[in-house]
Amino acid sequence: MTQPMLAAAAGPQWAFERYQEVRSRLPSARFAANSEHCSSLFELMDRFDAFLFDSFGVLNVGDMPVPGATACIEALRRAGKQVMVLTNAATGSIASLPNKYSQLGFDFTSNEIVSSRQVLAMSLAQPPLVDWQWAIAAPGNVAIEEIVKNYSIVGGRDAGLSDVDGFILLSTSGWNEGHATALRHALRERPRPVLVGNPDLVAPREGGLSLEPGSIAHQLLDEMPGLDVSFFGKPFGNAFEEALRRLLGNVCRDRVAMVGDTLHTDILGGAAAGCGTVLVTDWGVLKGFDIGEAVSRAGIVPDFIVPSI
Ligand SMILES: [Mg+2]
């Protein structure tokens, strides 16, 4: 498969600054005055009834589970807590997710995994979008039919962009400057809705950070501020509402914890949804950052900070 477009010279610090630049397009939220530091999630067992876990940097790093993460999930289940994965993942098929976590040693059921791809798919299944003709940024071999029936692939052989009703940014795998230019020209010629299946700006890959669909969308918005762009996934409310809807019983939002490694997606989104928030510092994007300075610069204050789950 073609490598994703790497953000040349773009490190985690670049991503942090870019999130700050696009902050007005992200949800707003209220935060605690200060964070409480804990040694692990076990100290928070009595504080919450349900835990929503980000994936990369919390449960796993690449193909490896974070040390202690599988035991933590088992212990939470034994204590009667509900657990769920809430991940901005849009490239792979929905059906493949339980197996992915099973290979990492976790036992999440399909109902316990909410991906941004699923949240987008639910919206696309409703009229009038279900009947639209779409152009999709995605590798053409990954079960596109599970989310839309009428589509062409941007950059594909028969990809006429002038006649489609809208655009879906699902994945930047295989994406290049030629695709970006074609998309930009098509939207300048005739603006149409753009749906973003993964609002993340970057993702860690071997060899550096890749630019993700969120980055492409924000570049378009910089150039065409009036463009109709909808984001599906953290930090936006649609992802959190789907996760909260799946919880059993009447769990109050302030008894639900969003556990994540990024301030601008996990913690901001969790707080905006009215949930408690737990920042994990040792395995994700803020590894090596001065956490206190990052929190204070972003003005995104987690309720709790733990080194690892
Ligand atoms: Mg993460």
Side-chain angles (χ1 to χ4, degrees):
M1 185 182 292
T2 318
Q3 286 300 302
M5 186 166 60
L6 292 177
Q13 197 71 46
W14 176 89
F16 186 93
E17 299 300 336
R18 184 63 177 138
Y19 272 118
Q20 288 291 92
E21 283 175 9
V22 303
R23 188 70 181 278
S24 64
R25 300 178 190 143
L26 307 181
S28 54
R30 296 162 63 99
F31 302 98
N34 294 294
S35 303
E36 191 177 320
H37 288 260
C38 301
S39 60
S40 83
L41 222 48
F42 294 108
E43 287 180 41
L44 303 174
M45 288 277 233
D46 295 335
R47 175 68 182 73
F48 297 106
D49 298 319
F51 292 82
L52 312 179
F53 289 94
D54 172 48
S55 188
F56 196 101
V58 177
L59 296 175
N60 62 291
V61 177
D63 296 331
M64 298 292 291
V66 161
T70 55
C72 173
I73 299 299
E74 284 168 20
L76 290 172
R77 289 193 192 280
R78 275 200 303 276
K81 309 296 178 183
Q82 295 189 63
V83 291
M84 195 167 284
V85 181
L86 181 51
T87 178
N88 283 357
T91 301
S93 76
I94 294 165
S96 68
L97 287 174
N99 190 41
K100 170 189 158 180
Y101 288 102
S102 162
Q103 287 179 349
L104 288 163
F106 298 100
D107 60 351
F108 296 110
T109 65
S110 56
N111 191 56
E112 290 173 330
I113 304 169
V114 177
S115 68
S116 56
R117 182 183 178 104
Q118 274 178 306
V119 178
L120 168 67
M122 289 166 61
S123 185
L124 287 168
Q126 305 297 320
L129 301 189
V130 67
D131 295 316
W132 283 22
Q133 178 73 37
W134 298 93
I136 304 189
N141 56 351
V142 184
I144 307 293
E145 295 79 9
E146 74 178 6
I147 59 170
V148 282
K149 55 182 180 183
N150 309 314
Y151 71 93
S152 54
I153 302 288
V154 176
R157 261 180 311 176
D158 49 17
L161 302 187
S162 54
D163 295 333
V164 299
D165 300 308
F167 298 87
I168 297 172
L169 305 183
L170 203 59
S171 170
T172 52
S173 183
W175 187 257
N176 61 36
E177 277 305 322
H179 298 140
T181 302
L183 177 61
R184 192 178 292 120
H185 284 167
L187 286 167
R188 285 227 177 93
E189 187 181 286
R190 185 161 71 89
R192 282 154 284 174
V194 177
L195 276 51
V196 183
N198 178 354
D200 286 354
L201 299 184
V202 294
R205 311 273 176 194
E206 267 179 57
L209 293 177
S210 60
L211 288 180
E212 293 300 302
S215 272
I216 310 299
H218 285 294
Q219 285 171 8
L220 292 171
L221 280 167
D222 288 345
E223 296 165 21
M224 294 171 259
L227 198 63
D228 178 3
V229 177
S230 302
F231 293 92
F232 296 84
K234 297 175 293 183
F236 297 91
N238 42 32
F240 287 89
E241 293 311 315
E242 175 58 15
L244 293 167
R245 189 185 68 77
R246 292 192 196 181
L247 291 176
L248 304 173
N250 289 318
V251 184
C252 287
R253 287 166 187 255
D254 64 355
R255 297 284 297 172
V256 178
M258 176 66 217
V259 185
D261 68 311
T262 67
L263 291 171
H264 294 89
T265 57
D266 302 320
I267 304 303
L268 175 61
C275 299
T277 54
V278 183
L279 180 70
V280 178
T281 56
D282 281 8
W283 297 99
V285 297
L286 294 181
K287 187 178 177 185
F289 274 58
D290 178 332
I291 300 296
E293 195 213 23
V295 165
S296 127
R297 280 205 54 219
I300 298 173
V301 185
D303 295 320
F304 302 95
I305 297 178
V306 299
S308 185
I309 63 171

